[in-house]
Amino acid sequence: FPVTIKEDGTIQIDYTPRRELVVGKFLSNDDCPEEVPDCVALREQYNQELESKGGASCTACEKNKIKEKYRNVVLNIIKDMPNMD
């Protein structure tokens, strides 16, 4: 990935693969990414699963498990689409 080394020595990644942008958009509850067919229904399942684990009081551990599950679902859906580098 292209990177920038800042004056303080930290490294900044200057590139995010499109697949990660799609996953991030799905998980953020913003508009559904057009690359994910039936996104609204899938996101509804995602949100229902979060709610079933306590909603806002869902522990970070449980929330991360659910996010990882749906991250993998979305990646599986888009894996064969062009330009998903």
Side-chain angles (χ1 to χ4, degrees), residues 22-78:
V22 171
V23 169
K25 189 172 183 181
F26 174 84
L27 294 174
S28 72
N29 275 329
D30 286 338
D31 294 335
C32 274
E34 62 186 36
E35 297 87 350
V36 181
D38 299 321
C39 177
V40 173
L42 184 62
R43 186 176 281 152
E44 203 171 283
Q45 284 180 288
Y46 167 67
N47 286 325
Q48 285 176 354
E49 198 162 335
L50 285 174
E51 280 300 313
S52 75
K53 298 295 183 182
S57 64
C58 179
T59 66
C61 182
E62 281 300 316
K63 192 173 203 170
N64 287 338
K65 285 180 191 175
I66 295 167
K67 280 185 166 186
E68 186 63 20
K69 173 184 173 180
Y70 282 89
R71 178 183 186 282
N72 288 328
V73 168
V74 172
L75 285 173
N76 191 48
I77 290 170
I78 64 174

